Amino acid sequence: MSHSAEYWLEALHGLGFKRPVRIMNVCGGHERTISLAGLRGAIPGNIELVPGPGCPVCICPEEDVFEAIQLALHEDIILVTFGDMLRVPVNVPKREPRSLEQARAAGGDIRPIASPSEAVRIAKENASRRVVFFAAGFETTTAPVAAMLAEGAPDNLLVLLSGRLTWPAIAMLLDSEKAGFDALIAPGHVATVMGPEEWQFVVDKHNIPAAVAGFRPDTLLAAMYSVLRQLKDGKRFLDNCYQEVVLPGGNREAQRQLNEVMQVGDANWRGVGVIPDSGFALRDSFAAHDARRHFRAYADDSRKRVGEMPPGCDCARVVLGKIYPNQCRLYGLGCTPRKPIGPCMVSDEGACRIWWSSGYRENEWEGRKKRQSVG
Amino acid sequence: MCLAVPMQIKTIDDFQCVCEARGIEREVSLFMLQGEEIGPGDFVLVHVGYAIQKVSAEDAASSWELFDEILAADA
């Protein structure tokens, strides 16, 4: 991208597109740049930037986190997981551990890792024990888990897989009566792995402009300009504003490995429900590494009913872009990064956490109450 | 979680390599880039310890400008 952020800001203002427009992003990385760089305050006031389903930790089914906690507490295993998962709360009676962090304090051997390679190393160093890798993530993160298994993991390494695909959540929103957005910024690193073509349906089936963006303000602003220009000109196409990284077809070797190790099926999203063809599961040929087949299921069907967001928490509507983080009644009041109630305040990719870290402190409900009491 | 950072390859041993960025070295898997022509000095985009794509030196440098801002904001 040869133009600067200033260039694209000027272009956005010069476009003269006055209609209110809502642009959704589906990546915590995009939302972080938008919030940290203060792009909402810099772009024309008729443009709303809506964070959508871009946080895999937030939508990881509660019953999967519960399962991981129970495995760590009741089986003789080492549980490894990406650090973001440790503080995700589950709905249990007060006396029981409500997160992996609390399960670790209660004696579970739970270790945060930053890479699937670390899971392999820990399994090799502890050859007499079983190591369970609780792996939540979107395509970008699930592909390395597939690579880890395709390359050949130690026999004692099992995977509790909670991988999800991003585009089916957008397809579900668009198929619903109220999608809630007029244009889409597609996630750059998902497209790096899976190819930008995955997002073509947004344009072809729904006539909604879309652009793949990277993570610097200039590429995000270029994508905003692209979709607004498309709306203004009445033309629709899938633009790629991250061409330096996102190649046509994506990373085909990574896709081959994903396909070798995993299959795609219907999957539950926390607070959202089952989305067709949105989840990864290990193929039969990798059953020996599948923690779901190796251990009894601690989370029964009733778990899936209680397994929604914590009481009072509006993460589900935040995830779907129905409300902004500070429109949740708990935002910044009962729920802060120090004492999170919902997963969107736990994860670095969660919209609530990103907004809080970027300095948005006023809860809209609280502000309204204050204004009412003053008036 | 989908954050990926550009790093420069220092040494390669089969599918494992040592990459460097901002003076920090990390072991990185090249397993997802097998079949690509890749060698020491090249830049790759690294996510959870796996290289997911090759990038140019210029793009690596401009991405790091953003990360420096994020790190400064977090500090």
Side-chain angles (χ1 to χ4, degrees), chain A residues 132-169:
Chain A
V132 175
F133 177 11
F134 177 31
F138 286 141
E139 297 92 327
T140 324
T141 312
T142 306
V145 178
M148 173 195 85
L149 290 172
E151 192 172 3
D155 291 344
N156 61 326
L157 179 56
L158 306 166
V159 178
L160 178 61
L161 186 60
S162 212
R164 294 290 180 272
L165 291 98
T166 36
W167 70 263

Side-chain angles (χ1 to χ4, degrees), chain A residues 26-47:
Chain A
V26 279
C27 177
H30 282 168
E31 183 54 34
R32 189 181 298 114
T33 302
I34 288 169
S35 296
L36 275 179
L39 295 189
R40 284 192 176 83
I43 58 175
N46 60 312
I47 307 170

Side-chain angles (χ1 to χ4, degrees), chain A residues 242-274:
Chain A
Y242 197 27
Q243 289 182 11
E244 62 272 33
V245 173
V246 177
L247 306 178
N251 181 336
R252 293 185 200 278
E253 176 58 29
Q255 293 163 35
R256 191 195 63 72
Q257 292 166 13
L258 264 173
N259 190 48
E260 177 193 339
V261 176
M262 298 173 191
Q263 59 197 26
V264 171
D266 299 351
N268 195 20
W269 292 47
R270 187 172 189 177
V272 177
V274 173

Side-chain angles (χ1 to χ4, degrees), chain A residues 57 114-117 136 140-141 143 148 151 189 215-216 244-245 251 253-254 257 349, chain B residues 1-2 4 15 31-34 45 47-50 52-53 55 59 62-63 66 70:
Chain A
V57 175
S115 166
S117 310
T140 324
T141 312
M148 173 195 85
E151 192 172 3
H189 289 150
F215 297 84
R216 297 192 312 265
E244 62 272 33
V245 173
N251 181 336
E253 176 58 29
Q257 292 166 13
E349 304 291 304
Chain B
M1 211 185 261
C2 292
F15 292 126
F31 197 72
M32 288 163 70
L33 290 182
Q34 55 185 284
L45 198 57
H47 173 66
V48 295
Y50 282 70
I52 61 172
Q53 192 61 271
V55 288
D59 291 324
S62 62
S63 294
L66 169 70
I70 292 178

Side-chain angles (χ1 to χ4, degrees), chain A residues 47-111:
Chain A
I47 307 170
E48 270 194 68
L49 302 178
V50 185
C55 168
V57 175
C58 304
I59 58 84
C60 178
E62 196 256 9
E63 62 266 23
D64 285 3
V65 185
F66 177 82
E67 186 74 21
I69 290 172
Q70 301 312 311
L71 288 177
L73 289 176
H74 301 298
E75 305 284 349
D76 179 23
I77 62 155
I78 300 169
L79 190 117
V80 298
T81 190
F82 294 120
D84 257 21
M85 298 303 300
L86 287 185
R87 298 179 72 204
V88 176
V90 294
N91 308 327
V92 290
K94 274 214 163 78
R95 62 183 185 282
E96 294 180 29
R98 65 188 295 265
S99 66
L100 284 163
E101 191 178 53
Q102 290 184 7
R104 185 166 60 169
D109 190 346
I110 298 168
R111 307 180 191 182

Side-chain angles (χ1 to χ4, degrees), chain A residues 21-362:
Chain A
V21 57
R22 288 166 61 86
I23 306 176
M24 179 172 274
N25 74 70
V26 279
C27 177
H30 282 168
E31 183 54 34
R32 189 181 298 114
T33 302
I34 288 169
S35 296
L36 275 179
L39 295 189
R40 284 192 176 83
I43 58 175
N46 60 312
I47 307 170
E48 270 194 68
L49 302 178
V50 185
C55 168
V57 175
C58 304
I59 58 84
C60 178
E62 196 256 9
E63 62 266 23
D64 285 3
V65 185
F66 177 82
E67 186 74 21
I69 290 172
Q70 301 312 311
L71 288 177
L73 289 176
H74 301 298
E75 305 284 349
D76 179 23
I77 62 155
I78 300 169
L79 190 117
V80 298
T81 190
F82 294 120
D84 257 21
M85 298 303 300
L86 287 185
R87 298 179 72 204
V88 176
V90 294
N91 308 327
V92 290
K94 274 214 163 78
R95 62 183 185 282
E96 294 180 29
R98 65 188 295 265
S99 66
L100 284 163
E101 191 178 53
Q102 290 184 7
R104 185 166 60 169
D109 190 346
I110 298 168
R111 307 180 191 182
I113 56 171
S115 166
S117 310
E118 283 184 57
V120 171
R121 179 180 52 78
I122 291 170
K124 284 180 178 167
E125 287 170 0
N126 297 273
S128 62
R129 295 182 70 192
R130 288 168 299 181
V131 174
V132 175
F133 177 11
F134 177 31
F138 286 141
E139 297 92 327
T140 324
T141 312
T142 306
V145 178
M148 173 195 85
L149 290 172
E151 192 172 3
D155 291 344
N156 61 326
L157 179 56
L158 306 166
V159 178
L160 178 61
L161 186 60
S162 212
R164 294 290 180 272
L165 291 98
T166 36
W167 70 263
I170 291 301
M172 183 206 68
L173 279 173
L174 287 171
D175 286 335
S176 71
E177 291 289 304
K178 289 179 92 176
F181 59 94
D182 312 295
L184 182 78
I185 294 181
H189 289 150
V190 171
T192 303
V193 173
M194 306 302 282
E197 299 81 3
E198 266 196 337
W199 301 92
Q200 190 66 45
F201 78 96
V202 176
V203 177
D204 291 350
K205 189 175 170 202
H206 301 280
N207 201 33
I208 291 212
V212 178
F215 297 84
R216 297 192 312 265
D218 58 340
T219 134
L220 276 162
L221 289 166
M224 288 175 211
Y225 178 82
S226 169
V227 295
L228 283 191
R229 181 78 194 254
Q230 293 183 47
L231 285 171
K232 188 175 183 229
D233 294 351
K235 290 180 187 154
R236 303 285 187 268
F237 62 96
L238 174 67
D239 203 354
N240 182 358
C241 301
Y242 197 27
Q243 289 182 11
E244 62 272 33
V245 173
V246 177
L247 306 178
N251 181 336
R252 293 185 200 278
E253 176 58 29
Q255 293 163 35
R256 191 195 63 72
Q257 292 166 13
L258 264 173
N259 190 48
E260 177 193 339
V261 176
M262 298 173 191
Q263 59 197 26
V264 171
D266 299 351
N268 195 20
W269 292 47
R270 187 172 189 177
V272 177
V274 173
I275 301 180
D277 294 330
S278 69
F280 291 103
L282 295 187
R283 289 190 185 277
D284 288 344
S285 43
F286 286 85
H289 288 287
D290 194 347
R292 292 185 194 278
R293 305 189 210 202
H294 197 84
F295 298 102
R296 59 166 278 222
Y298 285 89
D300 59 15
D301 282 347
S302 66
R303 184 89 230 146
K304 289 175 188 163
R305 286 194 296 278
V306 300
E308 293 306 323
M309 295 299 178
C313 163
D314 242 339
C315 274
R317 291 205 296 156
V318 171
V319 162
L320 292 175
K322 303 295 183 193
I323 61 168
Y324 287 112
N326 66 340
Q327 291 176 317
C328 171
R329 285 175 188 271
L330 300 179
Y331 179 83
L333 301 172
C335 185
T336 60
R338 198 175 286 255
K339 224 179 158 193
I341 291 178
C344 300
M345 191 60 95
V346 174
S347 171
D348 285 339
E349 304 291 304
C352 297
R353 174 71 176 266
I354 293 167
W355 276 44
W356 186 263
S357 310
S358 305
Y360 291 85
R361 292 294 152 90
E362 185 173 291

